[in-house]
Amino acid sequence: MKLLSSFASLAVSVALSTSALAQSPIWGQCGGIGWTGSTTCASGSSCVVSNPYYSQCLPGSSGSSPTTSSGTSPTSTSSGTAPSSGAGTCTGTRTKFKFFGVNESGAEFGNTVIPGTLGKDYTWPDPNSISFFIQQGFNFFRLPFLLERLCPPATGITGPFDPNYFGNLSATVNEITSQGAYVAIEPHNYLIYNGATLSSTSDFQTFWKNLAGQFKTNSHVIFDLMNEPYQPTAQVVYGMMQAGVNGVRSSGATSQLILVEGTSWTGAWTWTSSGNAAAFTALTDPNNNVAIEMHQYLDSDGSGTSATCVSNTIGVERLADATAWLQSTGFKGFLGEIGAGSNTACIQAVFGALCSMQEAGGAWIGASWWAAGPWWSTYFQSIEPPSGAAIPSILPQALEPFL
Ligand SMILES: *[C@@H]1O[C@H](CO)[C@@H](O)[C@H](O)[C@H]1NC(C)=O
Ligand SMILES: CC(=O)N[C@H]1CO[C@H](CO)[C@@H](O)[C@@H]1O
């Protein structure tokens, strides 16, 4: 997800408000933790619990007391049963994701202000948001941070970490892993640091040796080496990622999963055309625990900036080539970002994408929605409780069926 700073400044200035309506309209919110508006629904609709944070007025028999809607609550599926929701049914033989969750955005916000001020230019995830997703059954969080804030430009990426920013990063990691979930820490830098493209493999290797060394005893930390490179060629990005893998392992962090990303914003739909498929075939890990992270949005240009999806089958279509590459090479895939609007075509497209991933014989080991985070405000892909735009329909209909 590329256009972050504009969202950040927008989000900070917009405050949530709830109006005290006498009755909530059809499709309106009518309950949930923190809800202070009306709990009764307009005639012709009734209040249905989507999740602890959101009840919604759905068309149907009138009534004002919330009822639990069957079919939208998280289902505990065993492999082989068919998860379904309003978005469809996934009937093939599935392998569940080992890691399934959400990006927790915030610490990378305000990236034009270095170092920036905590609480003004950037923030850290809300512990309530982390708990919310764990309670829903998710077990994975992707945690972006900004390289310039961790490694101040005065001393560079091989220099010492800023103690306050590292302290916050470390506290957030512990908040997540102490609850048994996994966290992928990722420099959200597109392979650009302090205005210049990173090109020294030896510096990048040292940076990852230093950072991974801090977490080498925590088995639930995942090292996501760099978010969405897009300037260098696939071959150059591959070289940096291989150096990062070597750096992590040389720190003594030998058991944790490593995620690598390719060029062209690590897009799944361009995995072959970008040259990533050819370049990354050479990737090796002495501890054999690396996965290829890809991202995929479902709007026309694949950027995740429009709530309109190309079609209700665009998810499975855009992943097909990457899935085939994973299956033919034996590499494991990780869909680190997927996002779309909360409309019927998009919900079905996300459902179809995740279904196809779980039907790929274990080729995909994880997925995470883009995004949660305290400052998203009304962003259409926000899944931040209590009232993120994607909570009412994407969460129960397109994500939870694949828990
Ligand atoms: C971040 O660090 C500051 C001190 O630098 C501290 O006041 C704050 O509580 C920390 N926040 C988190 C989430 O760790
Ligand atoms: C490309 C992109 O936006 N990726 C997002 C993944 O997750 C982190 C938060 O966990 C975001 O900051 C990134 O922007």
Side-chain angles (χ1 to χ4, degrees):
M1 169 73 199
K2 295 161 219 160
L3 303 172
L4 217 41
S5 43
S6 53
F7 283 123
S9 44
L10 185 72
V12 180
S13 61
V14 181
L16 284 173
S17 65
T18 52
S19 49
L21 297 172
Q23 271 191 329
S24 297
I26 294 179
W27 305 113
Q29 186 172 1
C30 54
I33 295 169
W35 173 249
T36 56
S38 170
T39 55
T40 60
C41 289
S43 158
S45 65
S46 56
C47 191
V48 174
V49 176
S50 294
N51 57 59
Y53 288 86
Y54 200 94
S55 299
Q56 186 177 26
C57 295
L58 298 181
S61 59
S62 289
S64 58
S65 46
T67 54
T68 301
S69 133
S70 63
T72 56
S73 57
T75 39
S76 152
T77 53
S78 53
S79 241
T81 65
S84 64
S85 78
T89 303
C90 185
T91 53
T93 301
R94 294 180 307 121
T95 306
K96 287 203 207 175
F97 299 128
K98 182 166 183 204
F99 309 96
F100 194 23
V102 67
N103 284 263
E104 278 284 356
S105 194
E108 83 287 18
F109 272 33
N111 61 358
T112 57
V113 190
I114 303 299
T117 304
L118 175 59
K120 176 168 173 279
D121 302 303
Y122 67 92
T123 187
W124 292 92
D126 181 346
N128 292 320
S129 173
I130 292 164
S131 303
F132 169 76
F133 291 108
I134 290 174
Q135 281 161 19
Q136 302 278 312
F138 294 97
N139 70 344
F140 173 85
F141 298 87
R142 186 162 174 262
L143 179 62
F145 63 88
L146 208 57
L147 207 42
E148 292 88 348
R149 291 190 179 127
L150 184 66
C151 301
T155 41
I157 68 166
T158 59
F161 299 145
D162 177 87
N164 290 331
Y165 196 74
F166 178 76
N168 281 171
L169 175 67
S170 192
T172 306
V173 163
N174 291 335
E175 173 82 34
I176 293 168
T177 62
S178 65
Q179 298 180 65
Y182 292 84
V183 59
I185 54 174
E186 56 109 349
H188 210 69
N189 278 68
Y190 311 92
L191 214 47
I192 299 166
Y193 171 77
N194 198 26
T197 302
L198 287 170
S199 60
S200 163
T201 50
S202 99
D203 284 0
F204 196 59
Q205 180 161 338
T206 300
F207 164 74
W208 271 109
K209 180 181 181 188
N210 293 345
L211 185 56
Q214 297 287 334
F215 297 106
K216 64 183 176 186
T217 59
N218 188 335
S219 64
H220 281 49
V221 177
I222 295 166
F223 305 111
D224 181 348
L225 301 184
M226 177 57 65
N227 182 67
E228 297 190 348
Y230 65 93
Q231 293 174 331
T233 63
Q235 191 62 37
V236 168
V237 172
Y238 152 72
M240 294 292 279
M241 294 292 161
Q242 184 65 66
V245 170
N246 298 345
V248 168
R249 296 313 183 205
S250 71
S251 77
T254 52
S255 67
Q256 291 101 329
L257 177 64
I258 299 175
L259 299 173
V260 299
E261 303 189 27
T263 196
S264 196
W265 295 276
T266 208
W269 64 328
T270 54
W271 193 252
T272 298
S273 62
S274 64
N276 286 329
F280 278 79
T281 319
L283 188 76
T284 59
D285 171 13
N287 296 101
N288 201 24
N289 194 16
V290 67
I292 310 287
E293 175 169 333
M294 302 184 200
H295 296 171
Q296 191 62 63
Y297 293 93
L298 307 179
D299 49 351
S300 61
D301 66 359
S303 67
T305 52
S306 164
T308 302
C309 287
V310 174
S311 73
N312 66 352
T313 54
I314 192 65
V316 56
E317 289 162 17
R318 283 190 174 166
L319 292 181
D321 176 65
T323 299
W325 180 81
L326 292 169
Q327 290 174 326
S328 70
T329 59
F331 281 109
K332 298 300 181 192
F334 195 115
L335 195 64
E337 296 185 15
I338 182 171
S342 290
N343 50 69
T344 301
C346 287
I347 294 165
Q348 291 177 348
V350 172
F351 185 97
L354 296 177
C355 174
S356 75
M357 290 168 70
Q358 293 201 338
E359 290 178 349
W364 294 95
I365 60 172
S368 71
W369 181 255
W370 178 255
W375 283 0
W376 283 121
S377 185
T378 57
Y379 176 48
F380 72 93
Q381 287 178 180
S382 172
I383 202 164
E384 178 78 352
S387 51
I391 293 236
S393 47
I394 289 279
L395 181 63
Q397 292 187 41
L399 300 180
E400 288 177 345
F402 298 99
L403 278 167

